[in-house]
């Protein structure tokens, strides 16, 4: 890209030992409250209080470190993490790595959220219940569904709940014996296959035709055995399926239910909804579209919404409003029961609420529009790079993300998306994500430049890819031995993680295996 | 700025000039050229029914604080609620670290760019392994109940068997999650959940009942210590031996904050250990701080059947450097006997870092001392409360931090007692009279290191007035 | 330590194609091809691959046969091979390929690379069976065997990874198939499955936490077998077709099934093994009341489910069993390797082939089916 200069970045490099290797006997990181003298005198000793068989004989071999150096160690580790906010995280597509507003973090840390016990009397939880209830209303508007619940601990968990609701729905109708198949598509997130399978269904995967899920294949397979379809739109490819309503119709005609995985709805909010496409249920990832931070893979939250017909099956409790007070409704006899303790991840609910309030209807529309525009712009830049392409449906626009392929680069240089991935982090941008397995698109990578990223970020990102591809042709040894500017060097041999004799999941296992 | 323009601080390209320049570059008139892929009939027409934006950050904060302010907190009120979410002190250094932007906003990253995150995760695994006295720890999942369900499914795949024995006195929500994962019996790969009775006197697992229910179909025996009702289950070793004798696995559920003083299931050969990380440095956040961990023996069969991510320490080309990578990344689709496979998803990763910092700060002495202060505070409270007329502590077995108070003889319901305590700005124990009516009017009280003697005396005096 | 790579070029492979002969095996045909002005394709193909290998010269020890059987190509591409054995220049025969493979096996090569077509693959298989890891550079006219990479450059890439990053590589079994060339020239196709050899493939081992890697084929085969067994009906006789994917079912059932033949299973017991067409028809006639199922898998590079490697399951057999009673199983890797091309059927009965067209369910794992298209 003309005029863009890549940064002379280098990650902080501390050669930081493991926490298990530091410390000196006797040092303390923190003092805990001591037993009150009077209490100590009256209750007896630990030996009196704990049955002999349950007393811990050997203290756990935890390190003994003072507070300053404990802090220092973990601060260093944090600096050795590019994360999202320092690392132009366009690369982790399908994950909608958007900015998590700091003001929301302040709210989440306030005692009114952090120091609240879930089992407190309802009347002492009215603030967070109001927020949950209002978020429910907003998500109803965004999806067209009739009811929402926030119990699920992540997006995949929400798809699991759908499988559980499907199970219960057909059990009630006495059809569970025959309706044992859940259909999904090749380019839908794999949790849509894995969770019905966990729930005991057989899973049918539809092929794609030129990048679109194959409607004829669906029609050939729906039957009295069909319990549900789990699909998404746009799919991982970024292609919007314009006949999605014919999919839902075909499944409904066969008596099945239709679930829409909207983990990332970022590109179509206020443009298209689950309801118009004929879905019975959907879910949003509050940690994607609605700005809750990803937190090193959680805490996450899936918001599961459904139509009136399925609302009775939702896990308990559901937040309701009666006159002026908000309630947790446990009295739902048809409910599938519990899926997570308490009420889910309410701090994520709070953040989503604050984000939507900060956006309003116009902001949400702008979010969707800019996420689409950013993606067109990135596509415009990446398609000028020799060796990169994306398959299927030529001439059809992609929505908020694209699954690209470096197959040509690989063919010509022997270096593909795995190798380039190791290099781009040298320019101070977060590593990109490749694809779900199996790799239907060879040498894949899937960037998603959501509304958070500026034009300059997108140009910088494309320049980093361009530079790495250029190196693959001109100085392949740079790519082969990448990374060069990171806290550590290239991993020697990935098969170490495949071999029970050489892998070590904990320090104590490592010491045993290496005889340290 | 035109009327329809909406410039937002979170959206850099919302500036019309930038937007138009990008549109020109890509040769589009508007992004609606892209949206034209969506047929008319599928379009949402109109404006979302959502309140107008509160654009000033200050106004937004004021607004949300005002709504949130309707919550009462465990700072203003003296809290005795536990039951799976416990009020413990969160050290300042823990908050400092988990609120670091790099950790808070990282996601999957990769081996090099996020190596600090992976190291912290590996340290978490290593610290937990010491606490639990077992060699392998995986990434955590949503909460304790989910972890227990996953462990049971693992056991079922490993043994090829379809029954699990679970204490009748398991937390009903947790049991609900377990049942959800073990499935409806109509499903071909369901695991039958069989409840094991408790000794009515001690509250411990009834080993005779366990013995009759253990069979060649038993995949695993699940037990907890401390149990849902706070009892120190000291038969873990015996339960494990009985399970193993029948070819079944033993799954121990633990509250990790007890393990400075209580013996960890790993030390007597439990095969899998589950529990919740929330007590180790995570705020309660109305239940938002839960995180279920799973630990197991470092044997190939356990790794192969674990549905969650597992990381190994790795060598780099530079001698002495540590890197980390996923172990057997294809294992989640490993031949899974006759069971469907579980899934993995974004769950509760940040809390591994909270727990790692917590355990590093505490060290062996801190963990011992916190266990000691909890068990002693708890015992002190039990002594005080049971001295009240019509009030007794249910079950004779020693408790760790939680205990069941039986108010049946007082003639008052828990609802009445808790309402009166609330007047005194006290959150009384969890009312379990609906969960276990056969136990009478009982409430589950939780006492931890955050309670001072004065707090405990205040509870006692308040109760004295009420009963 | 340097990796030992063996190289065998069948110098006459690929001659027939351009001049309209289907294959070039056999002296007469070869002469015919030369007379028609055919130029050998395989030396050129070999060089396309070897050129890419020059970058790892220092990491390999190349062993090959003299002159046009490898030495010439290697030298032309700037490699310095260790040459063993002897040939009669310009007059090589399949026997030389077999001899070369045996000799190279004795030198202890880690990977045997060969250029040719189905006939060459067969010769290699005859010589070393499945003892060596191999990879074929496609040089022949019509290739049915799965042991060949998609093109010479892809073969070279696999070799490079095999040498420089073994952890990126896993092994899978692939078919050795060959058409009876005499029949082809009479416009009758009849490809036979001769056996399986081990080839490397790229696993795409991944680093970030959200993506996995391509699971090894055996894992899927294992899962597929469990699914099939789980759903077996004790009343049904299953005709288990050829292939490693189907063989996994027999292994799981602890039955002495055949890899290349058709076996009949009822109630999880083997009732007869290695049936030819007439034996199958006799069995069907003997059991008029018994329902039958056929379990078949994808055989060969082109994706045949009937008509290649399992001709024993003839049109008459398929008709008698019924199209709806055909269970198709395949690993994901196998399906992906078809690059979206449909499964093929060529039973010899065009009408039946037409009937078999359309979408079918393919069992790809435990409780998992993919929908895939069949064409004739
Ligand atoms: C489309 C889609 N569905 C589901 C999920 C799973 O969400 P989670 O990781 O929160 O379980 C994701 C996230 O990767 C996704 O992109």
């Amino acid at each position: 890209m003309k005029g863009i200069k890549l940064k002379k970045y280098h990650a902080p490099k501390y050669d930081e030992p493991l926490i298990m290797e530091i410390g000196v006997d006797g040092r303390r990181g923190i003092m805990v409250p001591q037993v009150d003298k009077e209490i100590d005198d009256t209750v007896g000793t630990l030996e009196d209080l704990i049955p002999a068989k349950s007393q811990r004989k050997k203290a756990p071999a935890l390190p003994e470190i003072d507070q300053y150096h404990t802090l220092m160690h973990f601060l260093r580790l944090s600096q050795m993490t590019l994360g999202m906010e320092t690392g132009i995280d366009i690369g982790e597509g399908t994950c909608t790595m958007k900015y998590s507003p700091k003001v929301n973090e302040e709210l989440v840390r306030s005692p009114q959220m952090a120091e609240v016990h879930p089992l407190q009397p309802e009347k002492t939880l009215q603030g967070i219940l109001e927020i949950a209830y209002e978020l429910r209303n907003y998500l109803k508007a965004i999806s067209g569904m009739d009811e929402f619940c926030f119990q699920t601990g992540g997006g995949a968990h929400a798809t699991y709940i759908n499988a559980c609701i499907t199970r219960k729905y057909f059990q009630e109708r006495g059809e569970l014996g025959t309706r044992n198949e859940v259909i999904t598509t090749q380019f839908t997130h794999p949790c849509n296959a894995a969770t019905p399978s966990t729930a005991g269904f057989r899973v049918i995967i539809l092929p794609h035709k030129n990048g679109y899920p194959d409607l004829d294949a669906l029609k050939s397979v729906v039957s009295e055995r069909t319990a549900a379809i789990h699909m998404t739109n746009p799919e991982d490819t970024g292609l919007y399926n314009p006949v999605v309503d014919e999919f839902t119709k075909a499944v409904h005609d066969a008596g099945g239910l239709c679930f829409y995985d909207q983990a990332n709805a970022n590109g179509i909010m206020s443009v298209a909804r689950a309801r118009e496409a004929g879905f019975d249920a959907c879910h949003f990832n509050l940690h994607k579209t609605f700005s809750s931070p990803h937190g090193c893979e959680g805490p996450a939250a899936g918001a599961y919404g459904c139509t009136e017909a399925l609302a009775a099956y939702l896990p308990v409790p559901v937040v309701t409003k009666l006159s002026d007070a908000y309630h947790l409704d446990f009295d739902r006899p048809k409910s599938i029961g519990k899926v997570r303790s308490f009420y889910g991840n309410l701090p994520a609910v709070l953040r989503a609420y604050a984000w939507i309030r900060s956006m309003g209807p116009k902001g949400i529309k702008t979010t969707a529009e800019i996420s689409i525009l950013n993606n067109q712009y990135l596509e415009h830049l990446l398609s000028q790079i020799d060796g990169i392409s994306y398959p299927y449906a030529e001439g059809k626009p992609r929505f908020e993300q694209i699954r690209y392929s470096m197959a040509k680069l690989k063919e010509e240089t022997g270096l593909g998306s795995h190798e380039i991935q190791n290099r781009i982090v040298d320019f101070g941008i977060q590593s990109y994500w490749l694809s779900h397995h199996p790799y239907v698109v060879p040498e894949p990578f899937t960037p998603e430049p959501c509304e958070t990223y500026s034009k300059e970020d997108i140009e910088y990102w494309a320049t980093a890819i361009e530079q790495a591809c250029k190196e693959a042709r001109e100085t392949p040894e740079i790519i082969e031995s990448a990374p060069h500017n990171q806290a550590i060097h290239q991993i020697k041999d990935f098969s170490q993680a495949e071999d029970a004799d050489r892998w070590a999941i904990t320090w104590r296992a490592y010491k045993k295996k290496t005889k340290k | 700025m035109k009327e329809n323009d909406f410039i937002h601080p979170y959206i850099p390209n919302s500036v019309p000039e930038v937007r138009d320049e990008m549109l020109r570059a890509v040769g589009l008139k508007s992004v609606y050229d892209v949206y034209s892929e969506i047929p008319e009939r599928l379009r949402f027409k109109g404006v979302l029914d959502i309140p107008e934006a509160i654009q000033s950050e200050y106004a937004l904060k004021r607004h949300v604080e005002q709504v949130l302010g309707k919550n009462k907190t465990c700072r203003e009120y003296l809290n005795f609620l536990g039951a799976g979410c416990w009020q413990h002190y969160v050290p300042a250094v823990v908050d400092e670290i988990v609120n670091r932007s790099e950790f808070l906003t990282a996601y999957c990253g990769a081996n090099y760019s996020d190596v600090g995150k992976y190291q912290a995760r590996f340290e978490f695994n290593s610290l937990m392994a010491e606490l639990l006295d077992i060699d392998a720890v995986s990434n955590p999942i949503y909460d304790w109940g989910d972890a227990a369900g996953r462990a049971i499914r693992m056991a079922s795949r490993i043994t090829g068997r379809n029954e699990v024995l679970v204490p009748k006195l398991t937390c009903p929500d947790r049991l609900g999650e377990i049942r959800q994962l073990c499935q409806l019996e109509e499903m071909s790969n369901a695991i039958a959940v069989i409840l094991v009775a408790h000794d009515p006197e001690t509250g411990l697992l009834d080993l005779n009942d366990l013995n009759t229910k253990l069979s060649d179909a038993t995949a695993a025996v699940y037990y907890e210590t401390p149990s849902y009702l706070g009892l120190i289950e000291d038969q873990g070793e015996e339960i494990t031996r009985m399970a193993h004798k029948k070819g079944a696995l033993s799954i121990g559920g633990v509250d990790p904050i007890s393990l400075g003083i209580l013996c960890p299931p790993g030390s007597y050969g439990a095969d899998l250990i589950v529990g919740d990380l929330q007590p180790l440095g995570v705020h309660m956040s109305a239940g938002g701080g839960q995180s279920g961990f799973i630990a197991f023996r470092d044997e190939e069969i356990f790794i192969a059947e674990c549905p969650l991510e597992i990381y190994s320490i790795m060598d780099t080309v530079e001698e002495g450097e540590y890197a980390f990578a996923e172990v057997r990344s294809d294992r989640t689709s490993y031949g899974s006997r006759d069971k469907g496979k579980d899934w993995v998803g974004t769950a509760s990763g940040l809390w591994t870092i909270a727990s790692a910092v917590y355990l590093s700060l505490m060290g062996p002495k801190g963990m011992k001392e916190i266990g000691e202060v909890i068990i002693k505070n708890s015992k002190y409270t039990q002594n005080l409360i049971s001295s009240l007329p019509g009030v007794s502590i249910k079950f004779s077995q020693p408790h760790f931090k939680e205990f069941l108070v039986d108010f049946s003889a007082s003639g008052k319901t828990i609802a009445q007692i808790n309402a009166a305590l609330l007047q005194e700005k006290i959150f009384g124990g969890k009312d379990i009279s609906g969960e276990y009516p056969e136990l009478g009017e009982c409430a589950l009280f939780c006492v931890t290191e955050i309670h001072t003697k004065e707090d405990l005396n205040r509870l006692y005096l308040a109760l004295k007035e009420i009963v | 330590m340097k990796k030992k790579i063996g190289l065998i070029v069948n110098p006459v492979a690929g001659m027939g194609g351009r001049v309209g002969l289907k294959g070039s095996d056999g002296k007469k045909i070869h002469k015919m091809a030369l007379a028609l002005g055919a130029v050998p394709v395989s030396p050129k193909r070999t060089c396309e691959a070897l050129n890419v290998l020059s970058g790892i010269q220092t990491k390999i020890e190349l062993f090959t046969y003299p002159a046009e059987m490898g030495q010439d190509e290697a030298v032309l591409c700037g490699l310095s091979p260790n040459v063993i054995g002897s040939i009669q220049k310009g007059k090589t025969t399949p026997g030389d390929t077999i001899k070369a493979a045996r000799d190279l096996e004795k030198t202890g090569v880690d990977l045997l690379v060969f250029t040719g077509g189905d006939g060459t693959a067969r010769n290699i298989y005859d010589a070393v069976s499945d003892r060596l890891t191999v990879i074929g550079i496609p040089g022949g006219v019509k290739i049915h065997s799965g042991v060949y990479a998609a093109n010479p450059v892809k073969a070279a890439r696999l070799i490079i990874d095999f040498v420089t990053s073994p952890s990126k590589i896993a092994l899978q079994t692939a078919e050795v198939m060959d058409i009876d060339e005499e029949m082809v020239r009479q416009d009758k196709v009849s490809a036979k499955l001769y056996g399986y050899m081990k080839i490397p493939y790229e696993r795409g081992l991944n680093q970030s936490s959200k993506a996995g890697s391509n699971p090894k084929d055996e894992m899927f085969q294992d899962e597929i077998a469990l699914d099939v067994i789980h759903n077996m009906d004790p009343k049904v006789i299953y005709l288990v077709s050829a292939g490693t994917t189907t063989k996994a079912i027999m292994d799981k059932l602890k039955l002495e099934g055949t890899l290349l033949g058709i076996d009949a299973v009822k109630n999880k017991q083997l009732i007869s093994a290695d049936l030819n067409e007439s034996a199958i028809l006799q069995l069907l006639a003997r059991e008029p009341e018994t329902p039958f199922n056929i379990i078949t898998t994808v055989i060969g590079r082109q994706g045949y489910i009937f008509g290649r490697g399992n001709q024993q399951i003839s049109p008459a057999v398929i008709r008698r069993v019924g199209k709806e009673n055909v269970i198709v199983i395949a690993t994901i890797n196998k399906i992906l390797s078809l690059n979206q091309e449909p499964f093929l059927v060529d039973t010899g009965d065009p009408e039946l082939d037409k009937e078999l067209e359309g979408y079918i369910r393919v069992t790809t794992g435990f409780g998992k089916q993919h929908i895939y298209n069949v064409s004739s």
Side-chain angles (χ1 to χ4, degrees), chain A residues 112-185:
Chain A
Q112 281 68 29
M113 181 74 254
E115 304 302 334
V116 168
H117 194 284
L119 299 176
Q120 284 176 208
E122 234 168 53
K123 63 179 173 193
T124 69
L125 293 173
Q126 288 297 302
I128 190 62
L129 293 183
E130 177 175 337
I131 282 166
Y133 188 78
E134 289 303 322
L135 181 64
R136 155 197 184 266
N137 291 340
Y138 307 158
L139 295 184
K140 278 171 60 179
I142 292 169
S143 63
M145 294 289 105
D146 298 322
E147 190 56 89
F148 262 86
C149 92
F150 304 116
Q151 298 258 336
T152 56
H157 204 194
T159 64
Y160 178 62
I161 291 332
N162 192 69
C164 295
I165 287 180
T166 304
R167 217 160 58 178
K168 186 87 180 185
Y169 177 89
F170 287 115
Q171 186 191 40
E172 285 232 319
R173 280 163 183 67
E175 294 178 51
L176 196 51
T178 41
R179 293 208 184 261
N180 60 359
E181 293 181 352
V182 171
I183 302 167
T184 183
T185 78

Side-chain angles (χ1 to χ4, degrees), chain A residues 93-95 153-157 159 188-189 191-192 232 236 261-264 283 285 287-288 300-302 436, chain B residues 107 142 343-347, chain C residues 210:
Chain A
T94 82
C95 306
H157 204 194
T159 64
T188 289
H189 189 280
C191 68
N192 290 287
T232 190
D236 277 13
D261 173 349
Q262 281 206 279
N264 18 357
H283 91 275
N285 277 8
H287 53 291
K288 294 185 172 167
H436 298 296
Chain B
Y107 193 27
Y142 310 114
W343 75 93
V344 60
T346 317
Chain C
K210 229 170 101 177

Side-chain angles (χ1 to χ4, degrees), chain A residues 50-96:
Chain A
I50 307 173
K53 278 186 284 184
S54 288
Q55 290 165 14
R56 181 155 197 151
K57 307 274 159 19
K58 201 162 143 269
L62 302 174
E64 300 182 51
I65 317 168
D66 62 281
Q67 195 166 97
Y68 170 65
H69 291 94
T70 310
L71 177 71
M72 178 189 281
H73 172 77
F74 284 104
L75 279 180
R76 286 175 173 176
L77 295 190
S78 75
Q79 291 187 359
M80 286 156 66
T81 305
L82 201 51
M84 176 269 168
E85 282 172 354
T86 59
I88 312 184
D89 204 347
I90 284 174
E92 294 191 77
T94 82
C95 306
T96 317

Side-chain angles (χ1 to χ4, degrees), chain A residues 85 106 198 245 267 430 512, chain B residues 35 41 101 113 135 183 341:
Chain A
E85 282 172 354
E106 283 193 7
T198 307
D245 52 339
Q430 182 55 276
K512 281 180 201 167
Chain B
Y35 285 136
R41 64 180 191 283
S101 152
S113 49
D135 284 356
Q183 307 184 351
K341 283 172 290 292

